[in-house]
Amino acid sequence: MALSRRALLAQAAASVTAVAAPSPTVGAGGGAAPTTTTTTTLRGTIPPGAPDFVYVPLDVPSGVRELRVSYRYDKPPTPPGTPGNALDIGLFDERGTALGGRGFRGWSGGARSEFFLRADEATPGYLPGPLERGRWQIALGPYTVAPQGLPYEITVTFVHGAPAPVAPVTYPPQRIPGRGRAWYRGDCHIHSVHSDGRRTPTEIIALARAAGLDFVNTSEHNTHSSHTAWADAADSGLLVLTGEEVTTRTGHVLAVGTNPGTFIDWRYRARDGRFVRFARAVRQAGGLVVPAHPHATCIGCAWKFGLGEADAVEVWNGPWTADDEVSLASWDATLCGANGARWLPALAHSDYHRDPDRIGGPQTVVLADDLSRESILAGLRAGRAYAAESSAVSVDFTAVTPRGAHAGIGEGLAVAGPGAEVLVRLSVTGAEGCELRLVTDQGLALTVPAATAFEWRTTPARTAYVRAEVRHPPQAPPLPGPPAALTNPIWLRP
């Protein structure tokens, strides 16, 4: 007989039984004063169908200078098509595990098997700070559980001694010298060693500048620990927005450009009705809510929360694949119902983790008043942006009336009447051999093969909006080729 979710929760909690094994030793401890260490082992088994998160209590004594945690778990063989064991890990301090993250001290998911915390330093993904006496909680996230269950073992080492001095907190500047009102190139979905990426922030800065980018957004999975690691980015001419990839079990969402130091909780599903609270928390912190890879096929990646709380949507994630084509079509369908009122801009990001991923491939090119957090976010929010496969590709896309009124990407053009003629102009550089396409609320309106520019005439009666696609030649006709660029729409308003 199947167990209820409440029974599974009780079973998982009952299995989280600590086996204490104190073993005092004397060591150097990272300071001049002598230290001692005490080790405790925590073992348990998570059953199939367990809750998304299981909390293992950890009593931290007073006088702890450093906390070290390592863990391992069994990975028994499973039949083909049956997920095996995968276990994420994080940490909450004595302030508790209540939703909102007041006690949050870090998350590494499944990216590493050990971590440490001190007052002055911590493993990437975790927050340095005081190690106060009290009941802490090790957060386990059973991403998938084999039919045999998921036995785990956690080893905790307390290093006793005088605490290290707390390190000062610095964040990247929110404005750096730019080019005034101009098109700025950025990538708002990148991962460093602070989650499951392989590069340090310093290495990513160099790669971003080499890719021709002007700004990036930090988007580590379920942690804001990297916000302090980018303070020197401005010296390279790169604006760093601070954010997070909020990675839930029913979809991922980018918090783009939140106030430095902002943490957004991820411990809920679409069915829990809690997303509205945290989407609003992103906006209250000055950021944008951007669902990521909404039609991705990995477990938990597809977006299930709807778009009612979104500020934009990521329609192009890394190298172009079939799920991006679906994301583009789904986004276009939302435009058809918007009629120029509230509509969601489309963005493109690399989702960089490691080579051969390519930072800035793709990227979002946004028209902003200057190179500042405020101006970049304003341009993204308004949809004054297009997507490009690299910094080599540039797009000029406008609509004009016979009287000289004009509008660009993301803007609305006021036209004398439903039958008044509008001239649409598109020109592209850096995409030789590509076909140029115009898409309206009625679908694909025009295709010009192997071109770099053209003009097209329409009226508001025929066209509510028009957007441009620059596509490489088809690789598997009748499907279109992958894009070199995509624009947000221009709206025609009689």
Side-chain angles (χ1 to χ4, degrees):
M1 179 176 170
L3 293 174
S4 69
R5 185 170 177 81
R6 179 174 295 180
L8 287 168
L9 177 59
Q11 182 177 340
S15 71
V16 180
T17 304
V19 179
S23 55
T25 61
V26 178
T35 61
T36 61
T37 64
T38 304
T39 299
T40 297
T41 301
L42 309 168
R43 297 186 182 95
T45 298
I46 299 174
D52 291 340
F53 302 100
V54 175
Y55 298 97
V56 182
L58 174 66
D59 291 322
V60 176
S62 58
V64 174
R65 171 185 176 86
E66 182 176 318
L67 175 64
R68 303 171 186 166
V69 178
S70 64
Y71 82 118
R72 66 177 189 84
Y73 57 93
D74 291 352
K75 299 179 181 179
T78 58
T82 301
N85 285 334
L87 184 64
D88 296 341
I89 194 168
L91 186 67
F92 289 77
D93 64 23
E94 80 288 348
R95 293 171 293 178
T97 61
L99 202 62
R102 184 166 178 264
F104 177 76
R105 291 301 294 269
W107 183 258
S108 48
R112 50 179 50 90
S113 61
E114 59 185 41
F115 59 87
F116 78 91
L117 284 80
R118 287 201 310 265
D120 63 333
E121 191 177 357
T123 298
Y126 292 82
L127 307 179
L131 304 178
E132 300 289 356
R133 178 181 181 273
R135 173 153 289 188
W136 291 43
Q137 303 284 342
I138 297 173
L140 299 179
Y143 188 62
T144 54
V145 179
Q148 301 94 317
L150 197 163
Y152 64 85
E153 180 180 284
I154 305 170
T155 301
V156 180
T157 300
F158 301 113
V159 179
H160 305 275
V166 176
V169 175
T170 57
Y171 296 116
Q174 299 188 35
R175 178 191 301 268
I176 65 172
R179 304 183 297 276
R181 186 171 176 82
W183 292 94
Y184 293 98
R185 297 176 179 269
D187 189 343
C188 293
H189 192 168
I190 55 174
H191 297 276
S192 76
V193 294
H194 283 261
S195 57
D196 57 348
R198 293 293 181 267
R199 298 278 191 174
T200 66
T202 298
E203 291 172 322
I204 289 175
I205 290 167
L207 290 172
R209 293 305 288 149
L213 299 186
D214 302 295
F215 66 93
V216 296
N217 177 73
T218 69
S219 53
E220 312 296 356
H221 293 287
N222 299 341
T223 183
H224 59 299
S225 68
S226 73
H227 289 192
T228 61
W230 299 83
D232 297 332
D235 295 339
S236 68
L238 185 73
L239 175 70
V240 176
L241 310 177
T242 52
E244 182 183 335
E245 183 173 5
V246 183
T247 307
T248 82
R249 294 301 179 89
T250 50
H252 302 185
V253 61
L254 302 174
V256 177
T258 50
N259 294 330
T262 298
F263 168 71
I264 304 298
D265 214 321
W266 74 96
R267 294 171 294 159
Y268 43 85
R269 293 191 181 204
R271 66 189 179 199
D272 298 328
R274 291 168 173 160
F275 177 66
V276 171
R277 167 185 169 185
F278 293 101
R280 291 175 180 173
V282 171
R283 282 192 284 274
Q284 288 168 0
L288 303 180
V289 177
V290 184
H293 44 67
H295 292 276
T297 56
C298 48
I299 295 176
C301 294
W303 185 246
K304 304 293 187 181
F305 294 91
L307 298 176
E309 292 293 328
D311 298 307
V313 62
E314 183 185 77
V315 303
W316 186 355
N317 175 277
W320 189 262
T321 57
D323 61 276
D324 294 306
E325 198 73 61
V326 175
S327 295
L328 179 65
S330 298
W331 166 73
D332 184 81
T334 69
L335 299 180
C336 292
N339 197 29
R342 184 187 184 275
W343 61 279
L344 294 181
L347 305 181
H349 310 123
S350 71
D351 199 358
Y352 176 84
H353 285 78
R354 61 190 68 83
D355 298 339
D357 298 349
R358 184 169 55 85
I359 289 179
Q363 58 193 246
T364 296
V365 191
V366 57
L367 180 62
D369 290 334
D370 57 25
L371 191 50
S372 68
R373 171 193 172 198
E374 180 181 6
S375 294
I376 294 295
L377 293 183
L380 295 176
R381 187 181 294 110
R384 297 192 302 267
Y386 65 89
E389 64 180 357
S390 74
S391 60
V393 178
S394 295
V395 175
D396 186 14
F397 184 48
T398 59
V400 297
T401 68
R403 296 183 178 182
H406 67 278
I409 298 170
E411 297 177 336
L413 181 63
V415 185
E421 188 174 84
V422 175
L423 177 63
V424 177
R425 294 189 176 115
L426 173 65
S427 64
V428 182
T429 58
E432 288 72 16
C434 288
E435 66 178 24
L436 308 185
R437 297 155 57 100
L438 291 183
V439 180
T440 74
D441 52 308
Q442 297 186 68
L444 182 62
L446 181 68
T447 300
V448 181
T452 58
F454 68 78
E455 296 182 345
W456 180 72
R457 286 174 169 79
T458 188
T459 67
R462 292 167 47 201
T463 306
Y465 68 85
V466 58
R467 61 179 183 84
E469 298 180 2
V470 182
R471 297 269 191 165
H472 291 284
Q475 299 173 343
L479 295 176
L486 305 166
T487 76
N488 277 297
I490 299 173
W491 297 90
L492 306 184
R493 297 168 178 158

